[in-house]
Amino acid sequence: MHIGVIGAGQMGTGIAIVAAAKARHSVTIVDVSEETCKKSLVFAEKILMKDVAKERITETDCKAALQRISTSTSLEALSDSSFVIEAVNENLGLKEKIFSELDAITPKHAILASNTSSISITQIAAATKRPDKVVGMHFMNPVPVMKLIELIAGLRTTDDTLQQTRALGEAMGKVTTTSADVPGFIANRLLMPYINEAVFALGEGIGTKEDIDITMKLGTNVPMGPLTLADFIGLDTCLAIMEVLHRELGDSKYRPAPLLKNYVKAGLLGKKTGEGFYKY
């Protein structure tokens, strides 16, 4: 099976890695930037070579996986793809445009999946003439490490589409769960308000960022505190999800923390920009 991945960032590249190395499918990553495509291939090689060093895969497997991954700056490269996974920014307009174009380019039997972490699958599917073959496939970051994929069926997604998506996820070595098509789904409906409240606590001076993170890390036995986690996710992504929750659910408890907005305005987006709540 030929798989298409839209977006050559960290998420898209991670998805391509598990599709090529675990599921052993050929993958084409599409991004508007040729430079980003080049960086994606370098990142994929770096991740797979780490697995070789840790004896998780052989050097032969590494080379074979890398040979299965190609890149392009044109969606036309996905004209023979049976499964496409979109992994671009949390922007409904952008996703609708991409899905509309994919609908015209890909084979009629192709399943179109979105890695959205909060936007309605039903709404994305409405941009196509095949809403029955549109599904949510929410990977966790970093994709090669995190075991979960959250599956989301839109209003018109068929059971067959969901079953094929689940089978692909399992071939990638993942555990799948299924969520209703509601804002934030399961993971971010629970996680993002927690992170947002931590930012409120920081802004109100309840504790320093270190005190907040250490308290939650050691007090609740999680691998990292909420502010560190926000930096790894990306503060812009956290804000975008909180805005979706606030707008769609209409409850003030989902109001984005003012400090979170200010960090995003300042371009301090976390690890990917070298600074967020912490410096990297």
Side-chain angles (χ1 to χ4, degrees):
M1 179 165 64
H2 182 224
I3 296 177
V5 176
I6 313 297
Q10 187 173 358
M11 288 298 294
T13 303
I15 293 167
I17 290 170
V18 295
K22 294 285 188 179
R24 303 196 173 198
H25 293 303
S26 61
V27 185
T28 299
I29 305 172
V30 177
D31 196 281
V32 294
S33 167
E34 181 67 38
E35 184 62 28
T36 303
C37 285
K38 291 178 181 177
K39 289 180 180 179
S40 175
L41 292 177
V42 171
F43 180 69
E45 183 174 10
K46 178 182 177 182
I47 294 298
L48 289 170
M49 286 304 295
K50 281 185 178 180
D51 283 345
V52 172
K54 294 178 180 179
E55 299 184 346
R56 291 172 180 163
I57 61 173
T58 66
E59 192 168 342
T60 299
D61 288 337
C62 173
K63 289 179 179 178
L66 290 172
Q67 288 174 351
R68 295 187 192 106
I69 302 174
S70 61
T71 63
S72 176
T73 56
S74 172
L75 288 177
E76 296 290 341
L78 306 182
S79 61
D80 66 342
S81 296
S82 298
F83 205 108
V84 180
I85 305 168
E86 165 271 312
V88 301
N89 294 336
E90 288 293 270
N91 180 308
L92 175 60
L94 176 60
K95 291 180 187 293
E96 287 176 328
K97 180 177 183 294
I98 289 171
F99 273 75
S100 177
E101 292 177 2
L102 287 173
D103 190 38
I105 292 168
T106 57
K108 296 303 179 185
H109 68 271
I111 291 174
L112 308 180
S114 176
N115 181 53
T116 180
S117 53
S118 61
I119 297 173
S120 167
I121 298 301
T122 300
Q123 193 165 1
I124 293 172
T128 76
K129 295 178 181 177
R130 62 176 98 179
D132 57 313
K133 294 187 180 299
V134 177
V135 66
M137 199 176 190
H138 179 208
F139 291 79
M140 306 296 143
N141 191 30
V143 178
V145 176
M146 302 295 281
K147 294 290 292 183
L148 180 71
I149 301 177
E150 194 175 25
L151 304 181
I152 306 96
L155 185 64
R156 298 177 67 183
T157 305
T158 63
D159 287 342
D160 181 63
T161 295
L162 198 61
Q163 288 170 8
Q164 288 189 59
T165 306
R166 181 176 290 109
L168 176 58
E170 290 172 353
M172 291 175 171
K174 305 300 183 185
V175 174
T176 64
T177 58
T178 305
S179 169
D181 188 17
V182 296
F185 315 130
I186 296 172
N188 283 326
R189 180 72 173 266
L190 302 177
L191 175 63
M192 285 303 155
Y194 160 66
I195 288 175
N196 193 54
E197 194 62 32
V199 182
F200 267 116
L202 180 63
E204 293 169 12
I206 295 174
T208 65
K209 59 181 181 286
E210 293 84 2
D211 285 334
I212 291 168
D213 273 356
I214 291 171
T215 296
M216 297 312 297
K217 180 179 178 180
L218 301 183
T220 62
N221 197 29
V222 292
M224 65 183 74
L227 300 176
T228 300
L229 180 56
D231 274 355
F232 276 80
I233 293 170
L235 303 192
D236 53 337
T237 300
C238 293
L239 176 59
I241 295 169
M242 287 308 303
E243 287 175 337
V244 168
L245 292 176
H246 189 216
R247 180 176 65 249
E248 297 296 327
L249 298 174
D251 193 320
S252 62
K253 71 179 180 181
Y254 299 114
R255 177 174 64 92
L259 185 60
L260 178 60
K261 290 184 176 181
N262 283 340
Y263 268 74
V264 173
K265 288 175 184 176
L268 303 176
L269 307 182
K271 192 172 186 295
K272 62 186 174 184
T273 58
E275 184 176 356
F277 294 115
Y278 298 89
K279 291 185 178 180
Y280 299 90

